Amino acid sequence: MPVTHLDSLDKIVSLSKSRGFIFQSSEVYGGLSAVYDYGPLGVELKRNIQSAWWKAMTQVHDNIVGVDAAIFMHPKVWEASGHVEGFNDPMIDDKQSKKRYRADMLIEQHILKLRDKGDDEKADELQQQLNTTGTRKGLCEDLYDIIMTEEIRSPDSGAFDWTEVRQFNLMFKTHYGAVTKDEDDVIYLRPETAQGIFVNYKNVLDTARVQVPFGIAQIGKAFRNEVVARQFVFRMREFEQMEMQYFVEPGTDEEEYDKWLQARLNWHKSMGIRPDNLRIAPHPKDKLAHYARAAADIQYKYPIGWQEVEGIHNRSDFDLSQHQEYSGKKMEYFDQKLQKRYIPYVVETSVGLDRTVLMVLCDAYREEEVDGDSRTVLKLHPKLAPTKAGIFPLIKKEPLQELARKIETDLKEEYTVLYDESGSIGKRYRRQDEAGTPFCVTVDFDGLDDNTVTIRYRDDMKQDRVSADKITDVIRDEIKSWSVK
Ligand code: ATP
């Protein structure tokens, strides 16, 4: 059975729109770039991923608890975290087209072009240069020098007419309260959810009866005014993160970091992602932030190349120490067992929910030839599928409709299902294949006497005849035993 894999995001973008997974924000007004809305199928998929993550963090670990912090936070938080000073991307403008680019990304693209041309030696040399582009201070000058020396042209206009490289802060700023608009009222939309966890660390310690090591998990929106955001939900200006900060005794951090890195890779596999499309990419030691003791990306092989879906970081005691200094409040923990005080180290797992949705969609997408015909199918893990079963009367006639409605009512107790009686049965199967629905239940005249129905499986299109009373059990067993093929 021939299978087509994706070489760009185009098919996912168009399926997302046509089937109601993801729409561009404010589309009727021409859209708002890098902001997206989830449609009826998309919101179910997203919620199923959220629930799977939440369960993997809080439900199965008795030492991980959740919080849901507000998006607005005291402005001092972002001074303490270093975001006001350093959450920047280096940008450069093409003076002719007035388009803005990320200087480091321009160089990355140039390196890829060199590789395509077979000039690996030059590509390696530039990559090395890029990896060692000095301190944050000298970064702009270093990147500008590379762009000038290599005569890198603008991808859109082809011009070689650049501004200087400047740092651009990615935080969205607004004014808080209705009185005046001066610098005192400035407030930021949070660029990450993590700080909401750090500033609640003491509250959780005091109320949740947890002891180091323990974790705090959170799912929520984050906002970044990304310089370049043209890759669908991969890079958005408003997106969602699922983060867990694990507070550990200093000295145990390396072991915990290794453990979480593996645990998180396994979680991605448990979402039905093909293992060959996942890898761990450790950050080189000389690229780590000054406080970071280790960091790695979990990368997925998106149609746009290997890219980060999750970051795992050993952040030392940096964040809690900063908040201790800026707030004047003690962040120490008294370890009863060891009879000593310390500021815990933090191992962080930070995954983008929207990037996970995109990964899940890309990995599930198949085009297959079936008896000279073609079908598009999303082979989603059934536990993530937005609709678990389609329920069809073979034709629009009683008593088939009545029995189908009854099955729908029974299944609804446990699953999201869809009743559909319009169009040929083949068309109805195809519609559900595209929506990723793993099971279709068809009620026909043959089954009326012995109360049986046909269950059709999305992945191999096989059909079984089962008792109508057993469908819930069959679906439950199938979800449990499903594995990616
Ligand atoms: P990148 O290098 O791709 O910009 P990052 O290293 O800045 O990502 P983190 O700050 O580690 O990302 O954020 C954790 C996770 O949040 C990322 O792994 C990613 O899944 C998600 N994320 C970050 N920025 C965006 C964005 N603009 N749109 C969608 N998801 C994002």
Side-chain angles (χ1 to χ4, degrees), residues 54-237:
W54 194 252
K55 182 176 172 193
M57 286 299 173
T58 63
Q59 198 172 319
V60 304
H61 292 106
D62 52 14
N63 65 343
I64 301 183
V65 293
V67 295
D68 184 11
I71 287 169
F72 288 134
M73 300 184 76
H74 195 290
K76 276 246 181 269
V77 167
W78 306 110
E79 285 175 36
S81 68
H83 283 79
V84 172
E85 185 66 28
F87 194 51
N88 301 316
D89 271 344
M91 64 171 192
I92 188 166
D93 292 336
D94 171 1
K95 286 192 211 157
Q96 296 197 4
S97 69
K98 308 271 183 270
K99 274 206 166 166
R100 179 159 289 177
Y101 297 90
R102 248 175 75 176
D104 52 338
M105 284 185 173
L106 277 180
I107 299 170
E108 294 275 8
Q109 280 167 11
H110 181 67
I111 293 172
L112 283 181
K113 272 192 202 148
L114 288 172
R115 293 208 190 281
D116 282 349
K117 281 193 217 148
D119 195 351
D120 281 335
E121 202 177 321
K122 182 78 198 160
D124 288 345
E125 186 193 315
L126 271 184
Q127 189 67 57
Q128 180 65 19
Q129 242 178 299
L130 192 60
N131 288 348
T132 50
T133 37
T135 58
R136 289 311 273 182
K137 255 199 183 130
L139 177 76
C140 290
E141 291 76 6
D142 289 355
L143 295 175
Y144 185 75
D145 283 350
I146 299 178
I147 290 170
M148 289 299 123
T149 322
E150 292 301 312
E151 293 188 23
I152 298 176
R153 293 183 168 270
S154 165
D156 295 285
S157 71
F160 183 60
D161 194 4
W162 297 111
T163 60
E164 299 284 292
V165 177
R166 280 160 295 154
Q167 290 285 23
F168 175 75
N169 193 290
L170 300 187
M171 282 199 293
F172 282 96
K173 241 188 207 180
T174 185
H175 293 273
Y176 199 64
V179 198
T180 50
K181 284 195 174 164
D182 59 34
E183 278 306 302
D184 292 344
D185 315 317
V186 162
I187 198 150
Y188 301 97
L189 295 184
R190 66 179 179 198
E192 63 174 30
T193 53
Q195 300 303 324
I197 289 180
F198 293 127
V199 299
N200 275 301
Y201 145 86
K202 268 280 172 197
N203 288 336
V204 171
L205 258 187
D206 294 344
T207 55
R209 302 174 56 85
V210 282
Q211 288 176 353
V212 168
F214 74 95
I216 306 179
Q218 176 170 221
I219 300 176
K221 291 267 185 173
F223 304 83
R224 295 183 188 178
N225 204 359
E226 298 279 0
V227 177
V228 182
R230 298 178 197 128
Q231 288 157 327
F232 196 39
V233 296
F234 180 80
R235 193 173 296 284
M236 302 156 87
R237 296 204 168 99

Side-chain angles (χ1 to χ4, degrees), residues 224 226 234-236 239 241 308-310 350 352 355:
R224 295 183 188 178
E226 298 279 0
F234 180 80
R235 193 173 296 284
M236 302 156 87
F239 58 99
Q241 290 185 314
E308 168 180 348
V309 60
E310 172 154 6
S350 176
R355 279 193 198 176

Side-chain angles (χ1 to χ4, degrees), residues 443-466:
V443 180
D444 56 27
F445 287 107
D446 292 346
L448 287 179
D449 298 334
D450 59 356
N451 195 35
T452 59
V453 293
T454 303
I455 182 159
R456 182 252 193 199
Y457 302 97
R458 172 199 68 197
D459 293 353
D460 55 11
M461 294 175 291
K462 288 213 175 99
Q463 304 195 1
D464 280 341
R465 197 154 259 289
V466 296

